[in-house]
Amino acid sequence: MNFTNKNPFIAGNWKMFKTIPEAVDMVQKLHEASVGMDGAQFVVIPPFTALSEVARALQESPIQIGAQNMHWEEQGAFTGEVAAPMLKDVGCTFVVLGHSERRQFFGETSETVNKKIKAAFAHGLVPIMCIGESLEERKNGNTITKVQTQITEGLEELDAEKICQIIFAYEPIWAIGTGLTATPDQAQEVHGFIRSSLAEKHGNTVASCAIILYGGSVKPENTYSLLKEKDINGALVGGASLKADSFAEIAREAIKAYEEK
Ligand code: PEP
């Protein structure tokens, strides 16, 4: 399946929210709300426990499914972990890797993110790789250095053909779940940097096809102004993706912004 930055890409990370009935109810409503919104690529990222039933509920829908994390090994004695073939098996197309909450609370590093990206590709999953700076790093003027380091380490030993398929999510940590959003200018500055860094290191083709999402308190009211920016190709949405109507509204705003870019 091909994904493109010619249309907005809207992914909803549900984090540790929703039982199976709640998850199924949400995606049924989202499917109804998204009919006719062919201009957007939708992905829902439920907790592991709901993946199977969400996949069943979306069988006839273009809405795609992702997981929030995985282990890099194919199988083994890793209690509590989930492997790429299991995610494929349950109907996932995408997997989020290196979310800042995983880095902050569960010891995720760029080295493990790199191993997981390789494992995702080996099993036909599309990685959504999260990067972003803390408030302190931003205040100290280290945003670009931090993002550059995460990209370099996370992409180690991957060739241009693979890098082309990665979905990047720039998520300033200070904007996640806080209600604070990067201004369109702040976000564009980093997105522009990511694209030019990809061009410099991996070539213009990689840079021009890269899908670069913004994440951090995205809601219907700020989607249009963010998505109007040249290098912002979509959104990774947390809180506002939990309800079908706000998630669909974000997609509507994203389509409008794309049409007017
Ligand atoms: C996220 O979880 O990736 C996120 C961006 O969350 P929120 O939209 O709630 O800030």
Side-chain angles (χ1 to χ4, degrees), residues 164-215:
C164 232
Q165 298 168 54
I166 295 175
I167 296 177
F168 296 90
Y170 167 58
E171 299 207 303
I173 299 167
W174 50 271
I176 297 180
T178 58
L180 298 172
T181 317
T183 64
D185 282 353
Q186 283 174 322
Q188 169 56 34
E189 187 192 1
V190 181
H191 281 239
F193 167 75
I194 294 169
R195 204 178 298 283
S196 57
S197 160
L198 290 173
E200 195 183 306
K201 297 210 163 67
H202 307 287
N204 285 333
T205 310
V206 172
S208 62
C209 71
I211 300 175
I212 311 174
L213 313 180
Y214 168 79

Side-chain angles (χ1 to χ4, degrees), residues 13-15 99-101 130 171 175-180 214-219 236-241:
N13 170 21
W14 297 0
K15 311 194 187 199
H99 190 281
S100 65
E101 287 154 14
C130 300
E171 299 207 303
I176 297 180
T178 58
L180 298 172
Y214 168 79
S217 299
V218 172
K219 40 189 185 272
L236 180 53
V237 187
S241 74

Side-chain angles (χ1 to χ4, degrees), residues 2-24:
N2 283 333
F3 302 97
T4 163
N5 60 21
K6 305 273 180 281
N7 291 313
F9 188 103
I10 310 296
N13 170 21
W14 297 0
K15 311 194 187 199
M16 199 171 70
F17 291 99
K18 290 195 191 295
T19 60
I20 293 171
E22 289 166 349
V24 170

Side-chain angles (χ1 to χ4, degrees), residues 70-79 81-86 119 123:
M70 64 170 216
H71 198 277
W72 58 85
E73 292 291 348
E74 198 171 290
Q75 58 179 10
F78 299 104
T79 303
E81 292 288 334
V82 170
M86 298 168 185
H123 295 281

Side-chain angles (χ1 to χ4, degrees), residues 14 20 23 44-58 65-69 82 86-87 90-92 94:
W14 297 0
I20 293 171
V44 289
I45 309 172
F48 292 128
T49 47
L51 285 172
S52 179
E53 288 304 317
V54 165
R56 193 196 305 267
L58 292 177
I65 301 165
Q68 298 176 17
N69 180 37
V82 170
M86 298 168 185
L87 298 181
V90 85
C92 288
F94 298 91

